[in-house]
Amino acid sequence: MAGALIRKYKWYLLAIVGLYAAISLWLFFFTDSPQNVPFEYEIH
Amino acid sequence: MKRTAELLFLVLVPLGLFLALGELALRVYLSRHIFFDVEMSRYALALKLDSKNPRIGHHHRPNAVARLMGVTVRTNADGFRDDEVAVAKDGRRRLVFLGDSLTLGWGVEREQTFEHLLEARLNQMRPTEVINLGVGNYNTTQEVNLFLDKGAKYQPDQVVLFYFINDAEPVPQKSRFPGLGHSRLVTFYWSRLKALRARLSPGTRFAEYYAALYRGGAEGWARSADALLELKRQSVARGFDLRVVLLPELHDLVDYTFRKEHGIVMDFLRANGIPALDLAPQFAKEHDPHSLWVSLDDAHPNARAHGLIADYSLNFLAEAP
C-alpha cells in the first residue's frame, strides 16, 4: 500500500520536502548574522 | 479509515523524509562549519552533570574530554578544565579563578586561555599556580558555591572572580525541549527561530536583555551581589586575597554598551572593599569587535581577546600581597 501511495503522490511528497528545505535555507541565510541574542542558558 | 491513513501518510512521510535528509545534510555541513548553539548543546551532553546542590545546578563531568568549537576540552578529576592539582600546596602561590564560559576558555585551546597565559606570566614574577574553576553558563551564585564545594579545599592565597555582564542571570534550568542537543536539525531550528524573533521584535536582543538584569533593584543583580558578599566573607574567614575582574562584552567596545551596568557593579565592589578592575575601558580602542569573537554567531573572546585580557589584568593580579 505504501508503495502505491508513494507512486501516486510522489510529486506532492517531493514538493513538500522541497518546501521544508526552502524554508530551512531561508531561515539559515536570513539569520546568518553576528550574534544578536543573549548567550543561551536554556541548553543545559 | 483508508482516507485517514492516506492523510496521515501525506503528513508524516514528507516530514520524516525532511527530518532524515535535513539531519544528514546538516551533519555534513557541520563537519566543516560551527554553529554556536549546536556546540553549546553538545557541550551540555558531553560535559555537564546535574549537581546535588541547587545553588550550583550543574557542574562538569570529571575526567571527560570533548571536541567543542573545534578545540579539545579536557576536565580533571574535579571537573575543572585544568591539570590534576594536588590538594596540598607545594610552596607556590596558589590562585583560583572563578567564572563562566569566558574563564573556561570556550572556543580557544587551553594554552591560549587568559588563565593559562596569566599563570605563565605570574610565574615569571614568582612561583605561581592557577586553578581554573570556570564552567560554562554559570552565574555568580554558581561560581561562589562551586568554590565552596570544590575550590576552598585548595586553600588559595588569592581568588579572582572574572565577572561578565550575564552573571546576573538566574541559575539555568534544564531544557525539556524534545530533541535539543541530540538532533542537529532540531537545535538549528530552535536556535535560528530565536534569532529570527530577536531580529523581528524589539526588546529581545542581548543588550536590552542584559540591561534588564540590573534595572531598578532587579533580582538578578541582587543575587549576584549577595554571592559576592558571601565570597568577601569567605576571604576574611579563610584569609585569601579576593579580587574581581570585569570582562567586557564584545559587541561595541568603543561606545561600550554596558557602561552603566559595569558602573553599578564597580560601585558595589568599591563600597564593599573588594578590589576590582573593569577591563571594558581598556578595550575601547578595539574598533572591530568581530576580530575578537570566536565565530560570527558567538561573541565569546577568541585567542587574541584572551591575550588582551591577560595583558590588561596581569598587573592587577600581581600587585596583590
Side-chain angles (χ1 to χ4, degrees):
Chain A
M1 183 191 171
L5 282 172
I6 287 172
R7 275 192 296 279
K8 183 178 175 185
Y9 290 110
K10 68 179 174 194
W11 293 114
Y12 163 82
L13 294 176
L14 283 173
I16 294 293
V17 172
L19 179 66
Y20 287 156
I23 291 170
S24 303
L25 285 172
W26 173 80
L27 191 62
F28 173 78
F29 287 110
F30 190 69
T31 58
D32 194 32
S33 55
Q35 183 204 341
N36 66 352
V37 292
F39 287 134
E40 190 47 64
Y41 278 26
E42 291 171 49
I43 304 176
H44 161 43
Chain B
M1 182 67 188
K2 192 182 167 190
R3 182 76 186 149
T4 308
E6 205 165 306
L7 273 174
L8 273 175
F9 173 89
L10 292 175
V11 171
L12 295 180
V13 168
L15 186 64
L17 263 176
F18 168 70
L19 289 175
L21 292 174
E23 183 73 24
L24 184 68
L26 202 53
R27 281 178 186 260
V28 169
Y29 181 81
L30 289 173
S31 65
R32 290 170 178 271
H33 300 82
I34 285 173
F35 286 169
F36 166 64
D37 279 326
V38 168
E39 293 302 294
M40 266 289 168
S41 66
R42 291 182 58 238
Y43 171 46
L45 292 176
L47 291 187
K48 288 183 187 172
L49 284 176
D50 290 331
S51 170
K52 289 175 187 159
N53 183 345
R55 287 169 167 265
I56 292 180
H58 67 272
H59 55 78
H60 281 159
R61 203 180 289 277
N63 300 314
V65 61
R67 188 91 183 148
L68 302 164
M69 297 289 289
V71 303
T72 301
V73 179
R74 196 181 302 276
T75 62
N76 68 12
D78 269 326
F80 308 152
R81 191 186 186 189
D82 211 327
D83 299 325
E84 293 302 333
V85 185
V87 173
K89 291 162 84 170
D90 58 8
R92 286 181 293 171
R93 182 173 171 74
R94 181 173 271 176
L95 276 65
V96 162
F97 282 5
L98 307 179
D100 60 7
S101 49
L102 286 83
T103 306
L104 168 75
W106 175 257
V108 299
E109 297 288 356
R110 191 172 159 231
E111 294 69 27
Q112 298 171 322
T113 61
F114 64 77
E115 177 265 333
H116 197 82
L117 299 171
L118 280 166
E119 184 178 54
R121 291 184 205 174
L122 288 165
N123 252 304
Q124 291 168 359
M125 301 175 185
R126 53 178 157 170
T128 302
E129 73 174 332
V130 176
I131 307 174
N132 186 356
L133 269 65
V135 176
N137 311 133
Y138 262 21
N139 61 25
T140 318
T141 304
Q142 293 170 287
E143 290 157 13
V144 171
N145 280 280
L146 182 72
F147 171 71
L148 296 176
D149 264 26
K150 291 192 173 185
K153 69 182 178 210
Y154 291 104
Q155 297 180 296
D157 301 294
Q158 185 181 65
V159 171
V160 186
L161 189 143
F162 288 88
Y163 190 90
F164 188 65
I165 189 74
N166 65 1
D167 281 8
E169 282 200 305
V171 173
Q173 298 300 307
K174 201 165 192 165
S175 175
R176 303 289 177 196
F177 197 84
L180 194 58
H182 295 282
S183 162
R184 305 287 187 271
L185 189 67
V186 168
T187 309
F188 164 79
Y189 258 87
W190 175 82
S191 163
R192 294 304 178 105
L193 288 173
K194 201 174 53 176
L196 183 67
R197 189 186 64 170
R199 183 175 267 225
L200 299 178
S201 48
T204 52
R205 290 184 178 226
F206 74 96
E208 296 92 335
Y209 175 79
Y210 289 157
L213 298 171
Y214 296 82
R215 202 173 294 139
E219 194 185 344
W221 163 239
R223 274 194 300 258
S224 278
D226 284 346
L228 287 164
L229 289 178
E230 173 59 26
L231 196 56
K232 167 74 178 175
R233 281 192 287 274
Q234 292 292 328
S235 79
V236 173
R238 296 173 188 265
F240 60 78
D241 177 75
L242 170 64
R243 276 153 202 263
V244 175
V245 175
L246 270 69
L247 299 172
E249 202 286 331
L250 299 178
H251 272 80
D252 185 353
L253 294 155
V254 176
D255 185 17
Y256 190 59
T257 316
F258 301 108
R259 192 171 291 149
K260 184 179 163 193
E261 290 73 22
H262 275 217
I264 292 170
V265 178
M266 287 297 284
D267 288 348
F268 170 83
L269 293 168
R270 281 194 205 103
N272 288 284
I274 302 172
L277 173 69
D278 183 3
L279 292 186
Q282 311 260 29
F283 278 75
K285 53 184 173 289
E286 296 294 332
H287 290 268
D288 179 15
H290 295 165
S291 70
L292 299 170
W293 294 18
V294 285
S295 68
L296 181 73
D297 64 347
D298 185 351
H300 279 90
N302 62 14
R304 181 171 165 258
H306 272 263
L308 293 174
I309 292 167
D311 289 345
Y312 297 145
S313 42
L314 177 63
N315 289 339
F316 177 65
L317 301 194
E319 74 187 15

